[in-house]
Amino acid sequence: MSQQVRTLLQRAWQAIQAGQWQAACDAAHEATRADAGAFDAWRMLGIAALRLGRAELALQALQRAHVLKPGDAGTALDLGGLWLDAGQPARARPLLADAAAGLPGDPRAQFRLATAAYAQGDFEVAARGFEAATRLQPDWVMAWNNLAAAHGRRGDYPAAIAAARNVQALAPVEATGHFALAALLSNRFDRDALGEGLRAVEEALRLDPGMADAHRIAALLLRKLDAPARAEAHARRALALAPDDADNVDACGEQLLLNDKPREATEVYAAALQRGVDAPALRRQLGIALLQDGRAGDARQALYDALSRAPDDQRTIAHLGVATADVEGGEAAGALLGVQRHVHRIALPTPPGFPDAARFHAALAGDIRRHSQQRWEPAGLAARQAYLSGDLLADRTAAIVAFEQALRAAIDAFIAGCKPDPKDVFLRNIPRDYVLHVWATQAAEGGHIDTHIHEASWLSGAYYVELPPAVAGDDGTHPGWIEFGRPYPHLAPAAAALRLEQPRVGDLLLFPSYLFHRTLPYRGAGERISISFDLAAA
């Protein structure tokens, strides 16, 4: 290296130390012209250009520096950051992985790698990276905030909520921290968590009354907390503040429907679509609003339109069945939905490790009663006077693990036997890979599950672990049975396509997630313990 280059590099370094970025850029640039192989010149040119906002020059300089010294972690960090800022996480991530490995004590490297992973939908790696950044810099609010978001996308709400509480504690005067916690808590169903969420969102709105997203989350929380008038007020405010946000349109329209104002809901959805706020869910909701307003023909057309855009939307299919029953009758609706074709009963064999079915079911019933996530009548769900277990598979007892294995085997065999049919609203959406959510219900006399569907899945099922004596007989009222095909009372058509199934211990019922279903209450001694599941495309 010549003395001239050394002098220029020294001048560039001194300028960097003094924050004189233009002088540093000029000296480093001159050094690269004098010696194109001088790594330090290209590196400092990249640093100075970044500070000056000259992204194109910085990219050129850092790429050259990376070629000259590919193992330099600082260069990899800055170059990866440039690609990340340019919206190219796939190009950024390998560089940022090298930077994180080479700079294990630098929270920026961990944060940027996590950001690239998050942008690619790899929320596991994102959560690990953001967690490492918070460990290295515990007061970094954005790292905690992003960690909460990553855990939320993973579905690990306890971890997400814990991270969001740290954001709230570190930045108590920032509305966004309170909002983030409230948004996460709005996914819960226990009233304590929902109450905490409401307090958090109210604080966010005190700090920033014009935050439209906070008004929407307040509406969702109040909906679950059985405060429909307050929920509607917040939903309307969210829509007024951000009328072209599809989530706000949906939240307002949905609340109006719940408050039995279908004509107003129709106007909200139609106006949004006319403004160009378009999404399959809004077209579906327009159809539901028209249906609830008694305009079945118009509803059917809107729902077919929505289904053409999102063929696997379970809510659309369910309501299309109702509209079809109104227009053509229950037989046509049953044919469309496959009420008679697609409800299947399978007897699960006693799993290995248990001497007989009775002892297996006794062990399984005991595990459900003692389950770590057992909750009484969670807010916002269909269970009435009953316990729900939350994620049944979270408790890895011998009976629960054995049941899971038997269930997965039955599901895999069922899917393998399904023949795709583009004309069938169920069989045209068979998933290649799937994820499973399993929970249990425990109810005594009077306990039941209200009419509902499973919107986020393709296949659902019920397995019977313990049944009261009343279910075994039939006095004409079918106590404790499961009924398919009857929609919500405010949508009930003149002739619904119905199917009743008598539960039997050891039997698994499989059915499309879009089928309206409910359990009928019973009277007398004993408990009705069942396990339900949702299967969604991975």
Side-chain angles (χ1 to χ4, degrees):
M1 181 182 298
S2 69
Q3 183 59 44
Q4 176 195 8
V5 173
R6 289 193 183 91
T7 300
L8 289 167
L9 291 176
Q10 184 177 19
R11 188 188 309 165
W13 178 246
Q14 288 171 345
I16 287 174
Q17 293 293 97
Q20 298 171 351
W21 303 110
Q22 187 59 57
C25 186
D26 293 341
H29 211 165
E30 189 175 345
T32 63
R33 287 193 290 267
D35 183 355
F39 164 79
D40 289 332
W42 290 108
R43 179 81 177 93
M44 284 191 281
L45 177 58
I47 292 171
L50 275 174
R51 289 287 188 160
L52 291 169
R54 298 177 62 182
E56 187 174 343
L57 176 60
L59 183 61
Q60 177 187 356
L62 291 170
Q63 284 180 308
R64 181 63 179 160
H66 185 63
V67 169
L68 291 168
K69 191 181 285 189
D72 185 77
T75 301
L77 178 58
D78 288 341
L79 181 56
L82 267 175
W83 285 124
L84 189 60
D85 292 341
Q88 298 194 45
R91 297 188 74 166
R93 189 168 170 181
L95 292 161
L96 295 172
D98 289 343
L103 300 168
D106 188 336
R108 298 173 307 151
Q110 303 295 335
F111 183 90
R112 290 183 184 177
L113 173 59
T115 303
Y118 190 98
Q120 290 187 294
D122 190 344
F123 303 116
E124 293 286 343
V125 170
R128 288 198 297 269
F130 290 130
E131 187 173 13
T134 61
R135 214 167 37 243
L136 294 165
Q137 190 173 327
D139 61 349
W140 193 355
V141 172
M142 185 174 290
W144 282 111
N145 186 74
N146 290 9
L147 177 59
H151 280 315
R153 294 299 296 270
R154 292 176 56 240
D156 188 347
Y157 289 110
I161 289 166
R165 287 192 178 118
N166 278 330
V167 176
Q168 190 184 46
L170 289 166
V173 297
E174 294 292 332
T176 53
H178 298 285
F179 164 74
L181 177 60
L184 286 164
L185 289 167
S186 72
N187 292 287
R188 301 290 293 272
F189 298 98
D190 53 295
R191 292 187 178 275
D192 288 344
L194 295 172
E196 182 186 358
L198 183 60
R199 290 189 295 274
V201 80
E202 286 174 341
E203 180 63 13
L205 288 169
R206 186 187 70 80
L207 293 165
D208 184 358
M211 185 185 287
D213 288 348
H215 281 286
R216 184 182 71 251
I217 293 301
L220 296 177
L221 287 160
L222 288 162
R223 180 187 301 173
K224 288 186 175 182
L225 289 168
D226 302 320
R230 292 175 62 195
E232 182 181 324
H234 279 286
R236 287 183 182 275
R237 184 61 179 150
L239 184 61
L241 288 166
D244 292 338
D245 185 312
D247 289 337
N248 291 340
V249 175
D250 198 9
C252 185
E254 179 78 358
Q255 192 60 51
L256 289 168
L257 287 174
L258 291 170
N259 290 3
D260 198 23
K261 298 178 180 179
R263 185 67 52 85
E264 291 183 61
T266 298
E267 293 169 357
V268 165
Y269 291 124
L273 290 166
Q274 288 173 1
R275 292 195 307 272
V277 186
D278 199 356
L282 297 186
R283 292 181 178 272
R284 174 245 289 153
Q285 289 301 104
L286 174 61
I288 293 173
L290 290 164
L291 184 61
Q292 192 168 327
D293 196 34
R295 298 161 62 185
D298 293 339
R300 192 181 187 199
Q301 182 177 345
L303 290 165
Y304 267 120
D305 180 27
L307 192 64
S308 70
R309 297 162 188 263
D312 60 347
D313 188 304
Q314 304 299 293
R315 199 172 184 184
T316 301
I317 299 169
H319 287 84
L320 181 58
V322 180
T324 299
D326 273 353
V327 174
E328 296 186 36
E331 186 175 343
L336 170 71
L337 300 175
V339 176
Q340 304 304 324
R341 298 191 308 275
H342 296 319
V343 177
H344 301 272
R345 183 185 292 268
I346 300 170
L348 290 192
T350 301
F354 293 87
D356 53 49
R359 274 177 276 194
F360 166 63
H361 289 118
L364 190 54
D367 291 340
I368 290 169
R369 290 188 176 100
R370 295 185 296 269
H371 199 274
S372 62
Q373 296 184 21
Q374 192 82 310
R375 300 167 296 173
W376 173 257
E377 200 172 292
L381 296 180
R384 299 292 177 264
Q385 301 180 55
Y387 289 97
L388 290 186
S389 72
D391 179 12
L392 180 70
L393 306 184
D395 290 7
R396 307 302 289 170
T397 67
I400 289 175
V401 170
F403 170 75
E404 179 189 7
Q405 292 170 345
L407 175 64
R408 288 186 182 276
I411 288 171
D412 290 343
F414 173 77
I415 292 177
C418 287
K419 183 179 179 181
D421 182 352
K423 296 181 180 179
D424 189 294
V425 292
F426 178 59
L427 295 176
R428 69 183 178 191
N429 297 313
I430 302 169
R432 181 172 299 178
D433 299 304
Y434 64 81
V435 292
L436 204 58
H437 174 53
V438 186
W439 68 97
T441 304
Q442 175 191 348
E445 181 179 25
H448 62 284
I449 306 297
D450 274 348
T451 299
H452 65 290
I453 63 171
H454 299 259
E455 297 185 19
S457 55
W458 171 73
L459 179 71
S460 298
Y463 179 79
Y464 299 99
V465 181
E466 182 175 310
L467 294 170
V471 176
D474 184 8
D475 60 4
T477 63
H478 312 297
W481 287 31
I482 183 169
E483 180 188 68
F484 297 98
R486 187 185 304 275
Y488 303 123
H490 61 271
L491 294 176
L498 300 182
R499 176 168 175 169
L500 280 156
E501 290 287 340
Q502 183 179 27
R504 297 191 185 97
V505 171
D507 278 6
L508 174 69
L509 290 177
L510 302 178
F511 52 90
S513 298
Y514 57 71
L515 279 183
F516 284 108
H517 57 285
R518 63 173 181 152
T519 65
L520 303 179
Y522 69 90
R523 302 194 64 81
E527 286 190 313
R528 184 184 191 279
I529 299 179
S530 61
I531 298 175
S532 302
F533 77 86
D534 280 342
L535 181 153

